[in-house]
């Protein structure tokens, strides 16, 4: 086997081992952590993350059901993601005043469920929000999807260096 083939085989084997060692971490993320809370008025907010703390990097359709003070039932209500950040969901004003038992479920493959008691207040009693925008989440946290891009870029750089070294060594041997 020529020198360049040995180098390329070693680089390829290294990349395969790197990717296979990262696979168990991805396999553990089959559930979500759902944090359910009231929005201070007549709605519910939900923060969805992976159980290992990584940000949610894709849209998940969450479904809300609620039981109110006089046995009132709300739902199922399908929730859509909000622009406030990855994994942030809000129901809008769906509850009337009183104490509600709220359950939020996510479908497979990221199956999860969370239940919380929420105190809904009429809109007039809701606290006023400050006019300053909420901070955007840090997209360069080094977790989740961004990590895969780093591994891919490092692998490509390693392959490019190995090919360059192989070409240089091949030219030196054939020089007169």
């Amino acid at each position: 086997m020529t020198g360049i083939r040995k180098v390329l085989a070693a680089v390829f084997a290294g990349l395969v081992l790197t990717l296979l060692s990262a696979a168990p971490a991805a396999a553990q993320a089959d559930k979500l952590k759902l944090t359910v809370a009231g929005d201070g008025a007549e709605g519910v907010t939900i923060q969805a993350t992976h159980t290992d703390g990584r940000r949610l990097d894709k849209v998940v359709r969450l479904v809300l059901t609620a039981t109110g003070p006089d046995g009132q039932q709300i739902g199922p209500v399908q929730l859509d993601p909000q622009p406030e950040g990855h994994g942030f969901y809000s129901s809008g004003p769906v509850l009337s005043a009183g104490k509600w038992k709220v359950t939020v479920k996510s479908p497979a493959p990221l199956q999860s469920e969370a239940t919380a008691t929420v105190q809904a207040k009429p809109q007039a009693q809701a606290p006023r929000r400050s006019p300053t925008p909420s901070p955007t989440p840090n997209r360069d946290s080094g977790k989740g999807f961004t990590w895969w891009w780093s591994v891919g870029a490092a692998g490509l750089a390693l392959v490019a260096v190995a090919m360059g070294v192989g070409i240089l060594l091949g030219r030196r041997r054939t020089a007169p």
Side-chain angles (χ1 to χ4, degrees):
M1 196 187 295
T2 65
I4 194 164
R5 286 186 181 169
K6 287 180 183 178
V7 170
L8 289 177
V11 168
F12 182 72
L15 286 173
V16 169
L17 289 174
T18 301
L19 293 175
L20 288 176
S21 67
Q28 293 175 0
D30 59 344
K31 286 198 167 218
L32 291 179
K33 176 185 175 190
L34 301 173
T35 306
V36 181
D39 67 356
E42 298 172 332
V44 179
T45 60
I46 298 93
Q47 181 66 49
T49 58
H50 290 279
T51 54
D52 60 2
R54 291 179 296 122
R55 286 184 309 139
L56 191 62
D57 57 356
K58 62 182 176 178
V59 175
V60 176
R61 296 295 177 199
L62 300 180
V63 177
L64 175 141
T65 55
T67 304
D70 296 320
Q72 302 164 335
Q73 297 285 323
I74 300 284
V77 176
Q78 185 172 343
L79 304 173
D80 292 320
Q82 298 299 309
E84 281 86 347
H86 286 280
F88 183 77
Y89 295 78
S90 178
S91 69
V94 295
L95 308 175
S96 59
K99 192 175 276 192
W100 290 80
K101 181 179 178 184
V102 177
T103 301
V104 177
K105 295 180 182 180
S106 66
L110 299 173
Q111 201 165 12
S112 191
E113 180 177 325
T115 302
T117 302
V118 173
Q119 180 66 41
K121 300 176 185 173
Q123 285 286 2
Q125 294 179 2
R128 295 191 181 264
R129 293 186 179 194
S130 66
T132 59
S134 63
T136 35
N138 182 3
R139 299 190 187 279
D140 296 325
S141 63
K143 296 181 181 176
F145 189 69
T146 306
W147 183 82
W148 284 102
W149 283 106
S150 301
V151 169
L156 286 174
L158 186 61
V159 168
V161 168
M163 290 179 69
V165 168
I167 289 171
L168 288 175
L169 291 176
R171 285 185 183 172
R172 285 185 184 173
R173 289 186 186 159
T174 59

